[in-house]
Amino acid sequence: FFTSSSTDYYTCTKLNFTGSNLANCPYANTSYFGTTEGNRTLKPITAKVADGGIVWSPFEHSAFTVDYLHWKISDEVQQQDSDRLLRTDSACLLGQLDITSPTCVTAISQVTRDANGLILQIDTPKQNQSEETLNVVVFGMNYTLVTGGAGNFTFEGSYSDILKHTFVQFTGDAAINLLDTPFYSTEFKTKENLSVTWDFHKFGATFYVERYGQTPNYAAALTVAGYYGPDAAPGAGRLGTWTIANMSAKYEVLPGLVVSANVVNLFDKGPPLDNSYTGISNQPYNVFNYNDFGRSFFVQASYKLPK
């Protein structure tokens, strides 16, 4: 048993509070009684995984790789999220989702409302997710330039692209494309990274850059319409890419004694600005995709005893 609060999306939408004005809804912070429990009917998770790749080394100290990965997961066990449940319940009651589908029948049964349609109680038990499929391709490169007097320079990089990501919540539901349905997923489709490492005698330094692709903004995730159509929340769209850089250096002061320093988020780059947030969240960015830690410094000394 627990008590909590969340947005009553169904009631707010009926009162014409959506998108950026959702914070003005009198039911944007509704308190309710909740229950959660185990489920003796849960099935064991099963997964079929396959991957393949090639490596090409056209010249000395180099490697180019291509990898393809495939996962098909059945009966994945998930603890339901209260906010997701209330958004699903709203979409079903508003006719945005098929109210006769297994997803809607289950969601509506887990949200208890009074005669005026206001939330009294929700139930979030553990459930089996029927099926999830994921296909990913990853390109990589590695090259070391040996210069002799100036030391060695190693260049590494990779690019990953999610080609397919679908899931079926319950048997009988239609498959959902998670890459184009932000109501269910706000994941990054692409990611890239590049690093340069310089090793010179007892000194070494690495400069590392990582770039994250576009993601849906907050408004796009409010309704099943996502980015498109008259049912999409006002201001629904995509956020720009996010690039952060890290730098590290180390020096062997004495045999076995190494001093190192690291700077994370070297240029103090914050998450992409999302003006579609309503003000009822603790932070104006998606905590599952971004952080606002800013620039961080770490200094360390380590010593290994001789064998």
Side-chain angles (χ1 to χ4, degrees):
F1 303 98
F2 63 92
T3 57
S4 188
S5 62
S6 187
T7 301
D8 185 349
Y9 296 98
Y10 172 62
T11 302
C12 287
T13 300
K14 289 199 302 178
L15 296 175
N16 295 319
F17 291 100
T18 59
S20 59
N21 75 338
L22 187 59
N24 300 323
C25 177
Y27 302 99
N29 193 28
T30 298
S31 297
Y32 55 80
F33 177 74
T35 61
T36 186
E37 67 276 349
N39 186 346
R40 293 186 177 183
T41 65
L42 287 176
K43 300 176 183 178
I45 184 174
T46 59
K48 296 179 180 179
V49 180
D51 63 83
I54 58 174
V55 179
W56 179 46
S57 183
F59 41 84
E60 191 176 10
H61 306 303
S62 71
F64 295 87
T65 62
V66 180
D67 292 279
Y68 177 81
L69 304 96
H70 169 78
W71 294 270
K72 187 172 184 179
I73 305 171
S74 300
D75 297 320
E76 183 176 359
V77 178
Q78 290 190 335
Q79 175 67 54
Q80 283 189 294
D81 176 73
S82 299
D83 187 72
R84 170 67 62 79
L85 172 62
L86 293 177
R87 288 194 288 122
T88 302
D89 171 71
S90 173
C92 294
L93 294 175
L94 293 170
Q96 297 170 354
L97 291 174
D98 180 3
I99 199 168
T100 64
S101 67
T103 288
C104 282
V105 170
T106 302
I108 293 173
S109 71
Q110 292 174 225
V111 179
T112 302
R113 297 178 179 272
D114 63 18
N116 296 315
L118 301 179
I119 298 173
L120 294 176
Q121 178 180 326
I122 70 170
D123 184 31
T124 57
K126 290 183 171 62
Q127 295 178 332
N128 283 119
Q129 180 173 287
S130 181
E131 186 176 282
E132 183 173 6
T133 303
L134 182 66
N135 298 332
V136 181
V137 64
V138 181
F139 299 92
M141 61 80 68
N142 181 294
Y143 173 66
T144 299
L145 175 64
V146 181
T147 66
N152 300 333
F153 295 85
T154 300
F155 303 86
E156 294 180 285
S158 71
Y159 168 82
S160 64
D161 188 358
I162 301 176
L163 304 178
K164 178 181 180 181
H165 193 186
T166 62
F167 93 108
V168 177
Q169 181 68 54
F170 300 109
T171 301
D173 283 335
I176 296 171
N177 178 9
L178 295 180
L179 297 177
D180 199 37
T181 314
F183 183 80
Y184 293 99
S185 174
T186 60
E187 64 193 304
F188 296 101
K189 185 179 187 299
T190 61
K191 292 182 183 180
E192 306 92 42
N193 63 69
L194 181 67
S195 68
V196 180
T197 299
W198 178 36
D199 289 309
F200 182 71
H201 299 299
K202 297 181 180 181
F203 175 79
T206 298
F207 180 70
Y208 176 86
V209 178
E210 188 160 29
R211 178 182 181 273
Y212 298 84
Q214 293 184 330
T215 60
N217 65 6
Y218 175 78
L222 288 177
T223 72
V224 293
Y227 313 104
Y228 319 109
D231 292 329
R238 290 181 171 87
L239 300 175
T241 60
W242 188 42
T243 302
I244 56 175
N246 303 329
M247 193 166 185
S248 64
K250 62 180 181 179
Y251 182 74
E252 187 177 16
V253 181
L254 298 170
L257 176 61
V258 177
V259 177
S260 61
N262 297 272
V263 183
V264 178
N265 198 354
L266 179 65
F267 301 113
D268 199 23
K269 185 75 171 182
L273 181 64
D274 187 351
N275 290 319
S276 70
Y277 266 89
T278 61
I280 59 177
S281 303
N282 293 330
Q283 62 289 309
Y285 61 89
N286 188 333
V287 296
F288 299 103
N289 292 344
Y290 308 102
N291 66 72
D292 62 348
F293 295 158
R295 186 185 298 113
S296 304
F297 301 87
F298 304 90
V299 178
Q300 175 180 304
S302 62
Y303 180 73
K304 292 184 179 181
L305 296 173
K307 294 181 180 180

